[in-house]
Amino acid sequence: MIDDEWAILKPLFPDPGYDTPKNGRPRDWNYRLILKAIFYLNKTSCQWRMLPSDFPSWSTVYTYFRIWKKDGTWKKVHDALRDQVRIQAGKEPQPTAASIDCVVIGFKDKCQ
């Protein structure tokens, strides 16, 4: 992840102190590296337990993925990246239309 990409995403993540345990032990990994590991998983489709050793352990990466999914951080990341892609394509940041495939949602017989 290049610095420009991180500059867009960094403000979307919670304050690094929000998950510090009560004993004050600091986190071992920064958000940027955890995010890179999640993007690596997405790009390569590898299993969680097969993450290369230069990333945090799979359980650490999965824990943060789960926390960020529950607290809405992933939705913010998705929306920010979508907006950037649309702007680069010369479109408005927010989509104005959507389509639904009847087969995908299971109403094939009712769509006709």
Side-chain angles (χ1 to χ4, degrees):
M1 176 181 327
I2 61 174
D3 291 337
D4 292 342
E5 293 168 337
W6 180 238
I8 294 168
L9 298 179
K10 184 177 180 179
L12 304 176
F13 287 88
D15 175 27
Y18 92 105
D19 61 348
T20 302
K22 291 186 175 153
N23 65 8
R25 182 177 176 268
R27 287 182 297 112
D28 293 329
W29 304 99
N30 65 46
Y31 290 155
R32 186 174 182 172
L33 188 58
I34 293 169
L35 189 60
K36 284 173 73 171
I38 294 170
F39 286 163
Y40 176 86
L41 283 162
N42 186 48
K43 184 176 185 177
T44 64
S45 298
C46 84
Q47 298 170 354
W48 286 99
R49 293 176 188 251
M50 300 300 289
L51 268 175
S53 60
D54 49 337
F55 291 120
S57 70
W58 74 270
S59 59
T60 298
V61 175
Y62 179 74
T63 297
Y64 278 98
F65 173 79
R66 193 179 72 239
I67 289 169
W68 292 339
K69 183 178 177 186
K70 285 183 177 182
D71 72 8
T73 300
W74 273 121
K75 180 168 177 15
K76 294 176 195 173
V77 169
H78 174 268
D79 292 347
L81 294 176
R82 181 202 59 220
D83 292 352
Q84 289 298 314
V85 169
R86 289 183 61 82
I87 289 169
Q88 288 176 355
K91 299 179 181 181
E92 292 294 322
Q94 297 295 317
T96 57
S99 64
I100 299 175
D101 184 348
C102 295
V103 176
V104 172
I105 61 172
F107 296 109
K108 182 179 179 184
D109 298 331
K110 297 179 182 179
C111 289
Q112 301 172 9

